[in-house]
Amino acid sequence: MADYDLEALSLSELKKMQKDIAKAISTYEDRQKAEARAKVEALTRDLGYSLAELVSTDTKSSRAPAAAKYRHPENPALTWSGRGRKPQWFVKALDAGKTASDLAIS
Protein backbone atom coordinates (compact mmCIF):
# COMPACT_ATOMS: atom_id res chain seq x y z
CA MET A 1 0.00 0.00 0.00
CA ALA A 2 1.31 3.43 -0.90
CA ASP A 3 2.33 5.71 1.91
CA TYR A 4 1.18 9.31 1.33
CA ASP A 5 2.34 12.42 3.16
CA LEU A 6 -1.06 14.07 3.35
CA GLU A 7 0.38 17.15 5.00
CA ALA A 8 2.47 17.88 1.90
CA LEU A 9 -0.49 17.80 -0.49
CA SER A 10 -2.40 20.90 -1.55
CA LEU A 11 -6.15 21.32 -0.99
CA SER A 12 -6.93 20.59 -4.66
CA GLU A 13 -4.78 17.46 -4.55
CA LEU A 14 -6.54 16.29 -1.37
CA LYS A 15 -9.98 16.93 -2.91
CA LYS A 16 -9.01 15.02 -6.05
CA MET A 17 -7.72 12.15 -3.91
CA GLN A 18 -10.98 12.20 -1.91
CA LYS A 19 -13.03 12.00 -5.14
CA ASP A 20 -10.84 9.17 -6.45
CA ILE A 21 -11.23 7.25 -3.18
CA ALA A 22 -15.02 7.68 -3.20
CA LYS A 23 -15.14 6.39 -6.79
CA ALA A 24 -12.88 3.44 -5.92
CA ILE A 25 -15.12 2.51 -2.97
CA SER A 26 -18.24 2.72 -5.12
CA THR A 27 -16.83 0.56 -7.90
CA TYR A 28 -15.51 -1.94 -5.35
CA GLU A 29 -18.97 -2.27 -3.80
CA ASP A 30 -20.53 -2.66 -7.25
CA ARG A 31 -18.08 -5.41 -8.15
CA GLN A 32 -18.74 -7.21 -4.86
CA LYS A 33 -22.52 -7.04 -5.40
CA ALA A 34 -22.19 -8.32 -8.97
CA GLU A 35 -20.02 -11.20 -7.80
CA ALA A 36 -22.47 -12.11 -5.03
CA ARG A 37 -25.40 -11.93 -7.44
CA ALA A 38 -23.59 -14.21 -9.91
CA LYS A 39 -22.92 -16.77 -7.16
CA VAL A 40 -26.54 -16.72 -6.01
CA GLU A 41 -27.84 -17.00 -9.57
CA ALA A 42 -25.54 -19.99 -10.20
CA LEU A 43 -26.74 -21.67 -7.01
CA THR A 44 -30.41 -21.13 -7.83
CA ARG A 45 -29.82 -22.37 -11.39
CA ASP A 46 -28.19 -25.53 -9.98
CA LEU A 47 -31.29 -26.08 -7.84
CA GLY A 48 -33.58 -25.68 -10.84
CA TYR A 49 -34.97 -22.24 -10.09
CA SER A 50 -34.41 -18.74 -11.28
CA LEU A 51 -33.43 -16.00 -8.88
CA ALA A 52 -36.56 -14.07 -9.80
CA GLU A 53 -38.75 -17.01 -8.76
CA LEU A 54 -37.18 -17.18 -5.31
CA VAL A 55 -37.06 -13.48 -4.49
CA SER A 56 -40.25 -12.40 -6.19
CA THR A 57 -41.58 -9.17 -4.70
CA ASP A 58 -44.92 -9.41 -6.48
CA THR A 59 -47.07 -9.48 -3.37
CA LYS A 60 -50.61 -8.51 -4.09
CA SER A 61 -52.75 -6.88 -1.50
CA SER A 62 -55.43 -9.25 -0.28
CA ARG A 63 -57.40 -6.47 1.35
CA ALA A 64 -60.50 -5.43 -0.53
CA PRO A 65 -61.41 -1.75 -0.72
CA ALA A 66 -63.67 -0.59 2.09
CA ALA A 67 -67.36 -0.27 1.34
CA ALA A 68 -68.76 3.23 0.98
CA LYS A 69 -70.61 4.54 4.04
CA TYR A 70 -71.32 8.12 2.95
CA ARG A 71 -72.61 9.60 -0.31
CA HIS A 72 -72.56 13.17 -1.61
CA PRO A 73 -76.11 14.57 -1.47
CA GLU A 74 -76.15 16.00 -5.04
CA ASN A 75 -73.59 13.77 -6.79
CA PRO A 76 -74.13 10.08 -5.92
CA ALA A 77 -70.89 9.16 -7.71
CA LEU A 78 -68.93 10.74 -4.84
CA THR A 79 -68.67 8.37 -1.90
CA TRP A 80 -66.47 7.93 1.15
CA SER A 81 -65.79 4.83 3.23
CA GLY A 82 -65.30 6.72 6.48
CA ARG A 83 -61.60 5.83 6.54
CA GLY A 84 -58.74 8.25 6.05
CA ARG A 85 -59.06 11.98 5.50
CA LYS A 86 -62.51 13.38 5.11
CA PRO A 87 -63.19 14.44 1.53
CA GLN A 88 -63.77 18.12 0.92
CA TRP A 89 -67.43 17.59 -0.04
CA PHE A 90 -68.04 15.83 3.30
CA VAL A 91 -66.45 18.66 5.30
CA LYS A 92 -68.42 21.28 3.36
CA ALA A 93 -71.67 19.41 3.96
CA LEU A 94 -70.96 19.25 7.70
CA ASP A 95 -70.14 22.96 7.73
CA ALA A 96 -73.44 23.61 5.96
CA GLY A 97 -75.34 22.04 8.85
CA LYS A 98 -75.72 18.44 7.70
CA THR A 99 -74.80 15.57 10.00
CA ALA A 100 -72.84 12.45 9.17
CA SER A 101 -76.03 10.41 9.49
CA ASP A 102 -77.66 12.67 6.88
CA LEU A 103 -74.93 11.68 4.42
CA ALA A 104 -74.89 7.99 5.38
CA ILE A 105 -75.84 5.46 2.75
CA SER A 106 -79.06 3.72 3.77
Side-chain angles (χ1 to χ4, degrees):
M1 185 165 134
D3 192 19
Y4 295 100
D5 182 12
L6 298 178
E7 298 293 326
L9 297 176
S10 68
L11 180 60
S12 63
E13 291 171 326
L14 289 170
K15 285 186 177 185
K16 182 182 180 329
M17 184 181 286
Q18 182 182 25
K19 188 189 299 185
D20 292 344
I21 290 171
K23 184 177 179 182
I25 290 171
S26 175
T27 58
Y28 177 82
E29 289 173 341
D30 291 344
R31 285 191 314 269
Q32 292 297 99
K33 287 178 187 177
E35 185 178 320
R37 182 176 185 90
K39 286 180 182 178
V40 171
E41 285 176 343
L43 179 61
T44 58
R45 205 173 25 256
D46 290 344
L47 295 173
Y49 298 101
S50 71
L51 183 59
E53 286 177 306
L54 297 178
V55 294
S56 176
T57 57
D58 296 340
T59 57
K60 296 194 178 194
S61 176
S62 60
R63 186 186 318 180
K69 291 184 180 179
Y70 304 100
R71 179 170 283 133
H72 190 282
E74 288 92 36
N75 184 355
L78 297 176
T79 60
W80 179 49
S81 67
R83 296 182 181 172
R85 278 181 73 179
K86 295 176 184 163
Q88 200 61 36
W89 63 263
F90 189 83
V91 173
K92 287 180 180 177
L94 293 179
D95 290 344
K98 298 222 183 242
T99 64
S101 60
D102 294 337
L103 301 171
I105 297 174
S106 317

